[in-house]
């Protein structure tokens, strides 16, 4: 460990804090239809889109109609993406002659990108044509992220409005987020990446001669534009198989730092947007504070772990002074890799600049725990905020039980309907994560894809299904997906996305119809340090009780074995 490493973590958090309020204000203006500079420039395009699509911007939807619109949109996305991948061999912009994607892989990839998971069971440079990368995958990087932000806005309206029957219009929210937020930010970020050396071209791969006289094929393509969308939308799907470890996706330490900021930017901004929309900005800062505490604890433990050399390798005479560098890029080092791993699994992004399977047992456990907590530490764009609000509801419910009062959040009573929907959304994730893992480690088709046995092989399987259900997309590098894994991971992604979205929107509709009560001396404040501590405790207790046995079978056993000098 070094002072520069801790300074890097502190500098990163300071930059995130500095971005949060400006982005929150801009997001509120966009999603509430208020005046802003980009609206004056691109307003005619927005109105033209509504005319072509037959959408009336002034007509709002109930929660059930909002959810139905999302489902219809996602079904259409699946059909388009699946079709493009299966037909890519016959379509243009395929200079490297990529063949059709296999049915199970096309199914997995289509679900992965439309659910904002971006799990990749393929090597991008050896499987996807440029058309598939741009029209299928990059488009989903935009619209899946925009849908997440739209859902978050609808949920916030549910808490902010009183005696209302509607929570917004999905199509309007989707268009506004894409047109005014994601596209402009991605244009700027793409320009930065191109300046730093990330390729952006439609030329095919090139063959060069190395210094040793050998020949090497170098893959190129429209990388920078997909890179920007993958990060800002917390998508994570890389153009290349090694993702942000590839020098064409992440050339240097500066781009690495900017990529981490891009991953956190909109998720952090949404917390401030929440405070502004409910009329109490302190509420947004309370949520941000709880998320920041959890982030700092996880990032610190992860850095502490990876800053130490592997004792099994140290015993062989390998210098441990640079930390555990197995599976890491020397241009990022232990701190750049550890912080990136914490950020990408906190934010449901899934982009990686190091192989998480090569982390030490405790270092590999932190990304796993981040996802098991429901991706609520900043979280995916939109998903992190509404996932956190589920735990906020549980927290005020527990506080109400302790003092014998009906629980309230933001002046609205939390009743049986909201608690039932909350528990449905919270409990579906461990059911998928643990259930599919148990299935995979007993069936031959599941075991055959694992590169390791024992606790490490179990962790490979657990990490994969946790990543899928949490809509993260990162993976332990040893898993080689086969049809069994592609199908079950696809099911996990769908359940992890839609079995949370629909109950959350039902909660929003229920809350929107309620009146806002007048605070009394007995009202539990939700913008204080007490609430921040309570919600952190609830998140950790729920996650700990659910997943501790599984962690004990995997990374914890590996850690104890490593301390004894045993290697599985």
């Amino acid at each position: 460990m070094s002072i520069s490493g801790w300074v890097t973590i502190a500098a990163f958090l300071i930059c995130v804090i500095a971005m949060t309020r400006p982005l929150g204000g801009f997001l509120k203006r966009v999603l509430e239809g208020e005046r802003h500079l980009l609206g004056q420039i691109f307003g005619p395009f927005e109105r033209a889109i509504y005319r072509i699509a037959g959408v009336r911007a002034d007509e709002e939807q109930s929660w059930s109609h909002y959810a139905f619109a999302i489902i219809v949109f996602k079904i259409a996305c699946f059909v388009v993406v699946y079709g493009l991948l299966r037909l890519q061999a016959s379509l243009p912009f395929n200079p490297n002659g990529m063949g059709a994607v296999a049915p199970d892989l096309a199914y997995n990839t289509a679900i992965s990108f439309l659910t904002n998971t971006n799990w990749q069971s393929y090597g991008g440079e050896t499987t996807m044509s440029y058309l598939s990368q741009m029209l299928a995958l990059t488009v989903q990087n935009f619209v899946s992220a925009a849908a997440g932000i739209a859902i978050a806005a609808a949920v916030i309206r549910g808490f902010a409005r009183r005696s209302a029957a509607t929570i917004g219009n999905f199509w309007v929210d989707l268009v506004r987020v894409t047109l005014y937020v994601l596209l402009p930010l991605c244009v700027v970020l793409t320009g930065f990446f191109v300046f730093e050396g990330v390729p952006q071209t439609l030329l095919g791969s090139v063959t060069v001669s190395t210094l040793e006289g050998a020949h090497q094929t170098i893959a190129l393509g429209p990388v920078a534009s997909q890179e920007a969308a993958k990060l800002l939308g917390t998508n994570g799907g890389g153009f290349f198989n090694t993702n942000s470890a590839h020098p064409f996706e992440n050339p240097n330490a500066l781009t690495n730092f900017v990529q981490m900021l891009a991953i956190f930017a909109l998720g952090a901004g949404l917390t401030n947007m929440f405070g502004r929309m409910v009329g109490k900005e302190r509420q947004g800062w309370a949520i941000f504070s709880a998320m920041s505490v959890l982030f700092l604890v996880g990032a610190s433990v992860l850095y502490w772990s990876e800053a130490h050399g592997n004792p099994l390798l140290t015993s062989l005479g390998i210098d441990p002074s640079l930390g555990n560098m197995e599976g890491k890029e020397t241009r990022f080092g232990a701190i750049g890799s550890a912080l990136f791993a914490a950020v990408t699994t906190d934010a449901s992004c899934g982009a990686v600049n190091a192989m998480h399977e090569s982390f030490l047992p405790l270092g590999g456990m932190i990304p796993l725990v981040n996802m098991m907590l429901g991706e609520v530490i900043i979280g995916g764009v939109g998903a992190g905020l509404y996932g956190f609000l589920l735990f906020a509801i549980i927290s005020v419910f527990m506080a109400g039980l302790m003092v014998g009062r009906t629980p309230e959040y933001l002046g609205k009573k939390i009743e049986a309907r909201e608690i039932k929907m909350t528990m449905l959304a919270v409990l579906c994730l461990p059911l998928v994560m643990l259930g599919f893992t148990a299935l995979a480690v007993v069936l031959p088709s599941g075991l055959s894809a694992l590169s390791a046995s024992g606790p490490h092989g179990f962790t490979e399987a657990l990490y994969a299904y946790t990543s899928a259900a949490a809509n993260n997309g990162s993976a332990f590098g040893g898993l080689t997906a086969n049809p069994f894994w592609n199908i079950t991971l696809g099911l996990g992604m769908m359940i992890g996305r839609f079995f949370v979205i629909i109950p959350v929107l039902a909660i929003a509709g229920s809350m929107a119809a309620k009146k806002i009560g007048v605070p009394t001396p007995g009202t539990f404040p939700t913008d204080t340090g007490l609430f921040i501590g309570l919600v952190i405790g609830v998140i950790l207790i729920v996650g700990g009780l659910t997943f501790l046995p599984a962690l004990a079978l995997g990374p914890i056993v590996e850690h104890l074995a490593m301390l004894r000098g045993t290697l599985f």
Side-chain angles (χ1 to χ4, degrees):
M1 291 186 292
S2 65
I3 294 177
S4 63
W6 296 112
V7 169
T8 300
I9 295 175
F12 173 77
L13 185 58
I14 290 170
C15 290
V16 172
I17 294 171
M19 293 189 301
T20 297
R21 196 168 192 275
L23 283 172
F26 178 66
L27 286 165
K28 176 182 180 293
R29 289 192 293 274
V30 168
L31 285 158
E32 291 294 271
E34 300 172 2
R35 288 177 59 86
H36 55 89
L37 178 61
L38 293 180
Q40 299 175 33
I41 299 173
F42 298 114
F45 294 98
E46 179 189 357
R47 292 187 288 274
I49 292 171
Y50 296 151
R51 286 196 297 271
I52 294 171
V55 173
R56 292 192 58 179
D58 57 343
E59 286 187 352
E60 292 201 347
Q61 299 165 319
S62 65
W63 80 265
S64 56
H65 286 89
Y66 202 100
F68 180 75
I70 293 170
I71 293 171
V72 169
F73 178 67
K74 293 299 183 179
I75 291 174
C77 289
F78 175 83
V79 171
V80 171
V81 175
Y82 183 85
L84 285 171
L85 297 183
R86 295 288 293 135
L87 298 173
Q88 74 173 9
S90 305
L91 297 173
F93 296 105
N94 188 11
N96 298 319
M98 301 296 181
V101 179
D104 63 293
L105 181 56
Y107 151 85
N108 179 279
T109 304
I111 292 175
S112 178
F113 277 77
L114 70 88
T115 58
N116 201 243
T117 307
N118 302 82
W119 168 277
Q120 293 176 280
S121 296
Y122 62 88
E125 65 268 47
T126 59
T127 307
M128 300 296 174
S129 70
Y130 291 173
L131 186 70
S132 295
Q133 293 274 21
M134 294 185 296
L135 190 57
L137 307 186
T138 302
V139 168
Q140 289 305 307
N141 283 346
F142 279 94
V143 297
S144 65
I149 296 175
I151 294 165
V155 173
I156 297 171
R157 293 185 190 113
F159 286 96
R161 294 179 176 180
R162 60 185 72 188
S163 303
T166 60
I167 55 173
N169 185 309
F170 172 71
W171 307 111
V172 173
D173 292 339
L174 182 74
V175 170
R176 286 175 176 171
V177 172
T178 304
L179 187 61
Y180 298 128
V181 180
L182 294 175
L183 277 174
L185 289 176
C186 283
V187 168
V188 174
L189 192 57
T190 298
F192 168 77
F193 285 144
V194 171
F195 181 79
E196 291 295 320
V198 178
Q200 182 71 14
T201 178
L202 293 178
L203 297 177
S205 301
V206 297
T207 302
V208 299
S209 297
T210 66
L211 294 175
E212 295 83 5
H215 296 288
Q216 180 180 356
T217 300
I218 299 177
L220 299 172
V223 183
S225 55
Q226 180 164 323
E227 192 70 13
K230 106 179 182 185
L231 298 165
L232 284 166
T234 60
N235 297 285
F239 192 95
F240 299 102
N241 190 34
T242 54
N243 209 281
S244 287
H246 198 291
F248 281 178
E249 289 199 29
N250 193 4
N252 52 54
L254 176 60
T255 58
N256 193 62
F257 193 81
V258 171
Q259 287 197 9
M260 291 187 291
L261 291 176
I263 292 171
F264 262 23
L266 293 177
L270 284 169
T271 64
N272 186 262
M273 184 186 83
F274 173 83
R276 290 172 182 264
M277 287 179 65
V278 299
K280 300 174 182 178
E281 200 168 341
R282 283 173 55 92
Q283 297 286 344
W285 286 116
I287 293 174
F288 180 84
S289 299
M291 291 179 173
S292 298
V293 170
L294 291 169
F295 160 71
L296 281 174
V297 171
S300 299
V301 173
L302 184 48
Y303 174 48
W304 173 84
S305 172
E306 296 308 300
H308 293 81
N310 188 326
L312 300 178
L313 298 179
T314 302
S315 65
L316 300 176
I318 296 176
D319 183 7
S321 60
L322 294 179
N324 175 36
M325 287 301 294
E326 180 191 350
K328 297 181 177 65
E329 294 294 313
T330 55
R331 66 185 187 276
F332 304 138
I335 178 59
S337 303
L339 182 56
F340 199 104
V343 168
T344 196
T345 51
D346 280 336
S348 187
C349 181
V352 294
N353 73 350
M355 297 301 102
H356 292 184
E357 183 160 26
S358 296
F359 285 7
L360 297 178
L362 288 184
M365 186 178 73
I366 295 302
L368 189 56
V369 170
N370 287 343
M371 296 184 292
M372 286 176 168
L373 295 180
E375 298 277 20
V376 297
I377 310 171
I378 299 300
V381 285
L385 180 63
Y386 61 70
F388 186 95
L389 292 175
L390 294 174
F391 285 101
I393 289 173
I394 296 174
S395 299
V396 297
F397 176 72
M398 292 179 63
L401 290 178
M402 287 187 285
V403 298
R405 287 177 54 91
T406 302
E408 296 181 5
Y409 189 54
L410 300 176
K412 296 190 174 184
K413 295 186 182 299
I414 305 297
E415 298 174 302
R417 174 181 172 81
E418 290 78 43
I419 295 299
K420 290 176 182 177
M421 292 294 105
T422 297
M423 297 313 300
L424 175 62
V426 169
L427 293 177
C428 77
L429 296 180
L431 178 64
V432 173
M433 296 172 183
L434 301 178
F436 277 128
T437 299
L439 193 65
V441 297
V442 297
L443 294 180
S445 54
L447 290 170
S448 64
L450 303 176
S451 65
S453 58
H456 197 71
F458 177 81
T459 305
E460 282 183 4
L462 179 63
Y463 194 105
Y465 287 114
T466 300
S467 177
N471 299 134
N472 182 270
S474 65
F476 265 32
L479 178 68
T480 303
N482 56 28
F484 168 83
W485 282 90
N486 282 334
I487 292 171
T488 54
L489 286 169
L491 291 173
M493 295 173 205
M494 286 194 292
I495 295 172
R497 190 69 166 177
F498 297 110
F499 277 53
V500 175
I501 286 176
I502 295 174
V504 161
L505 288 174
I507 292 171
S510 177
M511 298 298 284
K514 296 184 179 184
K515 298 179 180 180
I516 298 178
V518 178
T520 67
T523 301
F524 179 63
T526 54
D527 57 358
T528 63
L530 179 61
F531 172 76
I532 294 170
L534 177 61
V535 74
I536 290 173
V538 167
I539 292 171
L540 294 176
I541 290 171
V542 171
L545 291 176
T546 306
F547 294 107
L548 186 58
L551 294 173
L553 292 174
I556 294 176
V557 171
E558 286 189 77
H559 177 70
L560 295 175
M562 185 184 70
L563 294 179
R564 294 198 307 267
T566 304
L567 182 64
F568 283 101

